[in-house]
């Protein structure tokens, strides 16, 4: 049956149909739904791992044990998992293993826009690149066969527009292959130098075979049209190129991004008058073509930065674009912000009021950097707040220690914060770390994590006790505050910054969007009492606005958290 | 010929249900369909865009400037923000609700005046309606999305029954009646 399916859901369907049995991932936009959708199939064991490195190693374990396995992550997640990836290239697999990495050109929800194809090339692991949902499903299935045939993990690279677009797919039944027997094989699986030295030539030979296969594989295809223009493209760029040129150009669609098909490219180039490479982010196909001695147009006219679109490609390549109207007026932007009732807001308000230097991390709370709170001063990568406050304080000494804090979410702390905390405990900086525990992985859309007590299916699971964990690492000062209580937050911050030893503050209240969180009735403004001082507006709450010199509460948004009431000296918020 | 519908609004307003409904309906009608959504950080109260494209064969999942036949907007300012994406002869269906963005809340900017009139002055067709009141009349302010779908449905050569059937298939059973009423209020009398 034909159905409309999100790219990530189609990918999950491919995992199911291919008989994948073990899935371990860490959520990250735009990859999250592959694993969430896979978890809806009872036949697949699925889990959220604490981070991508753990997830990939779980999938590796399942593969050598004999079951088809999968792990999924966003582009920056593959940096975390790069360590196992680069050596799994040497060990190879037993049952097939597929890795999803989802790039985010345009940075809809990411801190950089790195091109994951570099990881495939550097690790010498084959990479496939679907351009719509039907291909995501099909490639996921074929990738397992390829993984087993060539004894290698296979990466499938998604991008935001393929991951988060729905297009038409046709589904099939699940075919469960027999488990592959696990056999002790020290020479293959123990990568100490003596063995790894013998595995490296096997990797190089595999790459040669894959490069030959690429010329005649089901992933790359030529669509001949007008031969005055030849386009080599892949992923979502293929769709834009077809939109612009239709059959007014010939297209070599690359579905296997690594290794690239030398002979196919050369044959295609010989049939067209001019060659244009349309690829988002880095000039990887382009540089490969140049290494083959071809003259091509690519990043000399198309940008490295950001997402492509049909009009952008048309304009850069001299094709007319549609006319449009415009308003001659600058409109105020609408950046994302913390939700009404977000438990992070009270803590950020207090940090801002105390003029703290706040080293931040990755999650919803990164929005603490947005005006008017403007509290967070750094955001680098998962866990970096906890590690870098130690360096910051070692460099600045007591001056830094008395006013600097690190903030990190519960899930991010489990992902990469613990090791940084171990460093503070071990190498002794007088650092103050605030764990913003909203009892869920928030930004990616509510995934469970090791501190929540539930697994990916919502069933009860192990629950790590953050207080006990910090104490076990040697922190004597561990305290819990309610971020809805501004006085409590203020006292905790002042005392822990003043203390002569490192401390952890756990700012604990569940995300206001969680279904089990009960909301209070909306507050309203007593117009007789409101003097228009704007104190409450300093919170940057979307439920509060200012009309006719008075505060106004949007009753559809307000959850009655009461934080603004604590700022009103005139008792105007009821 | 590919037709393009952009659904714009503020993260959390329910645009995903609107695009699900359209995608389902148009696929049932035999079209090739692509729907492109926004997830992650942009959903947190930011400006969000969903693209729905349908026709014999659809390639790009996104809609570019000057390409949209319809812009369906959950909020006035967001309609204005994306007006460049409309075809000059296109139509905007807009909920006249005003939701202040953070720069307005903080006082760094003011909410523009007379947006509906300014959009009409550009010569594009504008259906402006207070969808929030209609949604509340239907039983829930959350049904703004279906009120908008009701108005949009007037411009499609697809029967009212098929739209209503699509609502039944896309909405949880206990909300079907409410949403059918919202659809009816948005569409007005046939």
């Amino acid at each position: 049956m034909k159905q409309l399916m999100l790219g990530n859901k189609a990918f999950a369907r491919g995992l199911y149909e291919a008989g994948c049995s073990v899935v371990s991932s860490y959520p990250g936009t735009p990859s999250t739904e592959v694993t969430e959708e896979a978890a809806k199939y009872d036949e697949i064991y699925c889990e959220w791992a604490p981070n991508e490195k753990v997830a990939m190693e779980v999938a590796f374990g399942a593969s050598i044990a004999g079951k088809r396995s999968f792990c999924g992550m966003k582009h920056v997640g593959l940096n975390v998992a790069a360590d196992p990836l680069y050596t799994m290239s040497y060990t190879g697999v037993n049952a097939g293993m597929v890795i999803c990495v989802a790039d985010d050109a345009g940075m809809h929800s990411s801190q950089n826009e790195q091109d994951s194809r570099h990881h495939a090339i550097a690790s010498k692991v084959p990479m496939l690149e679907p351009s719509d949902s039907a291909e995501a499903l099909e490639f996921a299935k074929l990738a397992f066969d390829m993984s087993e045939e060539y004894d290698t993990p296979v990466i499938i690279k998604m991008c935001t527009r393929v991951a988060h677009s729905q297009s038409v797919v046709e589904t099939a039944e699940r075919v469960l292959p027999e488990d592959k027997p696990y056999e002790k094989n020290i020479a293959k699986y123990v990568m100490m130098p003596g063995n790894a030295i013998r595995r490296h030539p096997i990797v190089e030979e595999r790459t040669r075979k894959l490069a030959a296969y690429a010329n005649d594989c089901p992933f790359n295809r030529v669509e001949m049209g007008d031969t005055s223009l030849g386009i080599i493209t892949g992923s979502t760029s293929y769709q834009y190129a077809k939109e612009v040129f239709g059959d007014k150009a010939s297209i070599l669609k690359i579905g296997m991004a690594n290794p690239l098909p030398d002979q196919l490219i050369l044959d295609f180039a010989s049939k067209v008058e001019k060659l244009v490479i349309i690829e988002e982010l880095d000039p990887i196909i382009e540089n490969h073509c140049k290494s083959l001695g071809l003259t091509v147009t690519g990043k000399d006219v198309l940008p490295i930065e950001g997402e492509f679109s049909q009009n952008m490609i048309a304009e850069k390549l001299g094709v007319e674009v549609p006319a449009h109207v415009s308003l001659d007026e600058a409109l105020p932007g609408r950046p994302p912000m913390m939700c009404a009732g977000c438990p992070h807001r009270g803590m950020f308000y207090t940090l801002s009021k105390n003029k703290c230097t706040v080293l931040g991390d990755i999650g919803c709370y990164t929005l603490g950097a947005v005006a008017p709170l403007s509290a967070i001063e750094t955001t680098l990568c998962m866990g970096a707040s906890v590690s870098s406050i130690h360096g910051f304080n070692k460099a600045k000494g007591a001056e830094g220690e008395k006013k600097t804090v690190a903030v990190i979410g519960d899930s991010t702390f489990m992902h990469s914060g613990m090791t940084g905390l171990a460093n503070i405990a071990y190498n002794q900086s007088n650092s103050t770390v605030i764990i913003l525990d909203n009892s869920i992985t928030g930004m990616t859309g509510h995934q469970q994590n090791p501190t929540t007590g539930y697994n990916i299916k919502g069933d009860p699971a192990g629950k790590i006790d953050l207080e006990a964990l910090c104490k076990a690492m040697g922190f004597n000062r561990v305290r819990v505050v309610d971020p809805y209580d501004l006085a409590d937050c203020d006292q905790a911050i002042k005392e822990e910054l003043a203390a002569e030893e490192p401390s952890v503050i756990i700012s604990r209240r569940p995300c206001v969007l969680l279904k089990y969180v009960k909301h209070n009735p909306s507050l309203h403004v007593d117009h007789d009492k409101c003097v228009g001082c704007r104190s409450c507006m300093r919170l940057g709450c979307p439920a509060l606005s200012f009309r006719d010199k008075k505060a106004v509460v949007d009753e559809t948004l307000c959850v009655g958290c009461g934080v603004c009431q604590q700022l009103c000296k005139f008792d105007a918020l009821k | 010929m590919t037709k393009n519908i952009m659904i714009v609004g503020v993260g959390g307003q329910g645009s995903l249900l609107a695009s699900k409904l359209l995608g389902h309906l148009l696929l049932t009608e035999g079209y090739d369909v692509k729907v492109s959504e926004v997830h992650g950080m942009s959903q947190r109260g930011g400006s969000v865009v969903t693209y729905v494209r349908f026709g014999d064969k659809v390639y790009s999942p996104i809609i570019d400037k000057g390409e949209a036949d319809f812009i369906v907007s959950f909020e006035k300012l967001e309609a204005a923000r994306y007006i460049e994406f409309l075809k000059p002869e296109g139509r905007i269906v807009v909920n006249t609700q005003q939701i202040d963005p953070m720069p307005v809340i903080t006082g760094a900017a003011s909410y523009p005046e007379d947006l509906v009139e300014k959009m009409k002055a550009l010569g594009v067709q504008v259906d402006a309606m207070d969808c929030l009141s209609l949604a509340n009349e239907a039983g829930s302010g959350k049904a703004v999305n279906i009120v908008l779908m009701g108005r949009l449905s007037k411009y499609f050569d697809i029967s009212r029954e098929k739209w209503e059937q699509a609502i039944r298939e896309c909405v949880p059973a206990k909300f079907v009646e409410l949403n059918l009423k919202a659809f009816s209020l948005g569409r007005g009398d046939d």
Side-chain angles (χ1 to χ4, degrees):
Chain A
M1 188 185 83
K2 277 190 177 179
Q3 49 188 309
L4 209 52
M5 203 179 267
L6 196 69
N8 281 347
K9 186 175 178 178
F11 196 134
R13 180 73 200 184
L15 298 177
Y16 168 78
E17 291 180 10
C20 177
S21 295
V22 176
V23 168
S24 183
S25 303
Y26 186 80
T29 312
S31 71
T32 311
E33 300 81 6
V34 181
T35 300
E36 286 186 320
E37 293 294 336
K40 291 178 183 169
Y41 296 106
D42 289 338
E43 295 89 338
I44 307 177
Y45 169 78
C46 280
E47 65 177 28
W48 291 123
N51 70 29
E52 296 86 354
K53 177 181 186 295
V54 173
M56 192 175 287
E57 291 157 355
V58 169
F60 170 74
S63 162
I64 61 167
K67 287 198 191 300
R68 287 186 164 187
S69 67
F70 168 81
C71 62
M73 60 205 68
K74 67 184 294 174
H75 58 323
V76 285
L78 191 54
N79 301 338
V80 179
D83 202 358
L85 174 69
Y86 281 59
T87 303
M88 274 169 50
S89 174
Y90 281 37
T91 63
V93 299
N94 181 20
M97 178 173 156
V98 172
I99 299 159
C100 167
V101 59
D103 282 11
D104 189 19
M107 291 180 276
H108 295 271
S109 199
S110 300
Q111 66 268 45
N112 75 27
E113 56 183 354
Q114 68 187 53
D115 190 326
S116 293
R117 292 178 296 174
H118 292 295
H119 271 308
I121 295 165
S123 65
K124 306 178 187 221
V125 168
M127 174 181 268
L128 306 178
E129 219 178 347
S131 70
D132 60 16
S133 299
E135 286 187 352
L137 195 164
E138 194 61 25
F139 286 15
K141 286 168 77 171
L142 291 169
F144 281 104
D145 298 335
M146 189 173 161
S147 171
E148 286 165 7
E149 185 176 345
Y150 289 90
D151 191 11
T152 176
V154 174
I155 304 171
I156 298 184
K157 195 202 105 181
M158 301 288 273
C159 68
T160 300
R161 293 301 175 188
V162 176
H164 287 161
S165 292
Q166 299 179 46
S167 55
V168 179
V169 301
E170 288 196 62
T171 57
E173 294 303 309
R174 175 173 167 95
V175 178
L176 185 65
E178 276 189 29
D179 284 6
K180 299 212 178 242
Y182 170 71
E183 283 164 15
K184 182 174 178 178
N185 188 342
I186 290 172
K188 184 171 189 290
Y189 294 127
V190 181
M191 283 304 95
M192 54 189 180
N195 292 339
I197 285 167
R198 282 187 281 276
R199 292 296 299 179
H200 190 182
I202 294 171
V203 173
E204 299 305 324
E205 178 58 19
R206 179 182 73 208
T207 299
R208 278 190 286 277
K209 283 183 182 161
L210 281 162
Y213 169 66
N215 292 309
D216 189 28
C217 71
F219 309 107
N220 302 323
R221 69 168 184 264
V222 172
E223 296 173 4
M224 289 310 287
D226 193 318
T227 54
S228 61
L229 176 63
I231 295 169
I232 305 180
T233 186
S235 185
T236 192
S237 297
Y238 161 80
Q239 307 291 357
Y240 306 142
K242 287 296 278 189
E243 190 79 28
V244 173
F245 294 101
D247 58 6
K248 294 194 185 74
S250 296
I251 291 182
L252 167 53
K253 180 185 176 298
I254 299 290
M256 185 162 159
N258 185 56
L260 288 167
D262 290 356
Q263 199 53 50
L264 192 60
I265 290 171
L266 289 168
D267 288 350
F268 179 73
S270 72
K271 290 176 192 157
V272 296
E273 288 168 35
K274 182 182 178 217
L275 210 50
V276 176
I277 314 300
I278 303 179
E279 57 188 325
E280 283 184 338
L281 301 177
D282 293 340
I284 289 173
I285 300 174
E286 178 179 343
N287 288 344
H288 191 82
C289 288
K290 286 174 176 168
S291 78
L292 296 173
L294 298 170
T295 302
V296 300
T297 292
K299 297 297 175 185
D300 48 335
V301 294
L302 294 163
I304 287 176
E305 312 91 321
E307 276 194 299
F308 286 4
S309 72
Q310 51 265 36
N311 279 5
M312 193 271 277
I313 289 170
E315 269 181 333
K316 300 286 182 193
L317 296 174
V319 177
E320 198 183 346
V321 297
H324 64 79
V325 298
S326 339
L327 269 180
D328 186 21
E329 179 167 352
L331 301 175
R334 192 184 298 275
M337 55 191 167
M338 288 186 283
C339 306
C342 176
H344 301 322
R345 181 174 284 106
M347 180 52 79
F348 280 125
Y349 172 79
T350 311
L351 291 169
S352 186
K353 195 185 89 175
N354 280 289
K355 297 191 166 52
C356 292
T357 300
V358 182
L359 306 187
D361 224 294
I362 306 282
C364 280
Y365 49 93
T366 312
L367 296 170
V370 177
L373 294 169
S374 306
I376 283 185
E377 299 177 43
T378 66
T379 295
L380 186 65
C381 63
M382 298 287 281
S385 60
V386 185
S387 323
S388 55
I389 191 177
H390 176 78
F392 195 88
N393 287 342
K394 285 289 180 192
K396 275 191 103 63
E399 185 200 344
E401 291 172 350
K402 295 300 173 199
K403 61 174 286 201
T404 309
V405 302
V407 294
I408 184 164
D410 47 328
S411 186
T412 310
F413 180 72
M414 281 291 121
H415 179 289
S416 293
M418 286 189 290
T419 41
L421 203 67
N423 193 40
I424 292 172
Y426 170 46
N427 285 312
Q428 295 283 299
S429 63
N430 184 8
S431 296
T432 302
V433 173
I434 302 174
I435 301 175
L436 301 167
D437 178 8
N438 65 349
S439 311
I440 203 73
T441 313
M443 179 60 79
T444 44
H446 286 177
Q447 290 74 33
Q448 305 294 342
N449 69 57
T451 69
T452 66
Y454 295 94
N455 66 20
I456 192 171
K457 302 228 184 208
D459 297 327
K463 179 175 166 61
I464 289 175
D465 180 332
L466 285 172
E467 293 93 309
L469 175 70
C470 297
K471 282 179 184 157
M473 281 190 180
F475 285 78
N476 298 314
R477 301 185 68 96
V478 179
R479 65 197 280 177
V480 178
V481 298
D482 177 358
Y484 278 0
D485 183 340
L486 295 180
D488 193 18
C489 290
D490 193 61
Q491 189 185 355
I493 288 165
K494 286 191 164 82
E495 286 177 6
E496 297 314 323
L497 282 171
E500 294 299 329
E501 60 180 307
S503 45
V504 175
I505 301 171
I506 300 169
S507 174
R508 179 171 289 148
R509 184 171 270 275
C511 172
V512 71
L513 298 182
L514 283 166
K515 287 210 171 80
Y516 68 80
V517 173
K518 296 271 183 290
H519 296 170
N520 294 322
S522 170
L523 300 180
H524 64 274
V525 177
D526 183 336
H527 279 239
D528 295 334
K529 289 190 172 174
C530 178
V531 299
C533 70
R534 298 188 72 108
S535 283
C536 55
M537 306 305 286
R538 293 203 303 261
L539 286 170
C541 176
L544 283 167
S545 54
F546 206 67
R547 302 256 162 86
D548 303 325
K549 298 184 179 169
K550 304 269 182 189
V552 183
V553 176
D554 181 336
E555 293 185 9
T556 64
L557 290 176
C558 178
V559 298
C561 74
V563 173
C564 58
Q565 277 178 311
Q566 298 167 49
L567 292 182
C568 184
K569 294 193 181 85
F570 304 95
D571 200 24
L573 285 150
K574 308 274 176 150
Chain B
M1 185 66 189
T2 302
K3 288 273 188 188
N4 300 316
I5 307 165
M6 265 174 92
I7 304 169
V8 303
V10 179
Q13 276 191 299
S15 59
L16 287 183
L17 176 62
S19 62
K20 182 182 170 190
L21 176 72
L22 283 171
H24 179 78
L25 176 73
L26 295 164
L27 190 70
T28 311
E29 288 293 297
Y31 293 108
D32 186 23
V33 184
K34 282 192 176 167
V35 177
S36 199
E37 306 166 354
V38 175
H39 298 241
M41 182 172 272
S42 319
Q43 281 185 308
R44 299 282 171 266
S47 171
V48 291
V49 188
T50 303
Y51 308 104
V52 179
R53 310 191 72 213
F54 65 101
D56 294 337
K57 172 70 189 167
V58 179
Y59 287 105
S60 171
I62 64 172
I63 296 169
D64 221 323
K65 287 182 181 173
E67 290 186 338
D69 297 278
F70 295 95
I71 292 178
V72 177
S73 181
F74 285 65
E75 200 271 350
K76 272 188 303 191
L77 175 58
E78 296 312 305
R81 189 184 312 288
Y82 293 101
I83 199 163
E84 294 188 348
F85 287 77
L86 196 66
K87 285 180 179 167
E89 68 276 19
R91 180 180 294 272
I92 296 178
V93 178
V94 56
N95 174 20
T96 51
Q97 192 179 351
Q98 170 176 339
I99 300 175
D100 288 351
M102 194 48 69
V104 173
I105 290 173
T106 61
S110 52
Y111 195 97
E113 307 273 339
D114 307 322
L115 282 171
V116 170
E117 290 69 27
K118 286 172 186 167
M119 290 190 283
K120 283 180 175 166
L122 295 175
V124 300
Q125 303 173 79
V126 181
D127 283 23
M129 53 200 289
D130 179 359
C131 301
L132 185 59
S133 295
L134 293 173
N136 281 324
E137 192 183 329
S140 166
K142 292 200 162 90
V144 162
N145 46 16
I146 303 299
V147 173
L148 284 164
M149 290 298 102
R151 176 52 68 107
L152 180 71
S153 72
K154 290 165 74 88
Y155 305 108
F156 281 71
D157 193 18
I158 298 174
S159 73
R160 180 179 186 137
E161 289 67 34
K162 285 185 176 167
W163 281 89
E164 290 175 345
Q165 183 58 30
I167 290 172
R168 286 192 190 90
E169 287 163 4
C170 291
V171 170
K174 60 179 173 176
F175 297 124
V176 166
E177 283 313 310
L178 187 160
N179 280 297
L180 287 176
K181 189 167 179 201
F183 179 82
S184 182
L185 288 169
R187 185 172 168 108
D189 294 329
D190 277 331

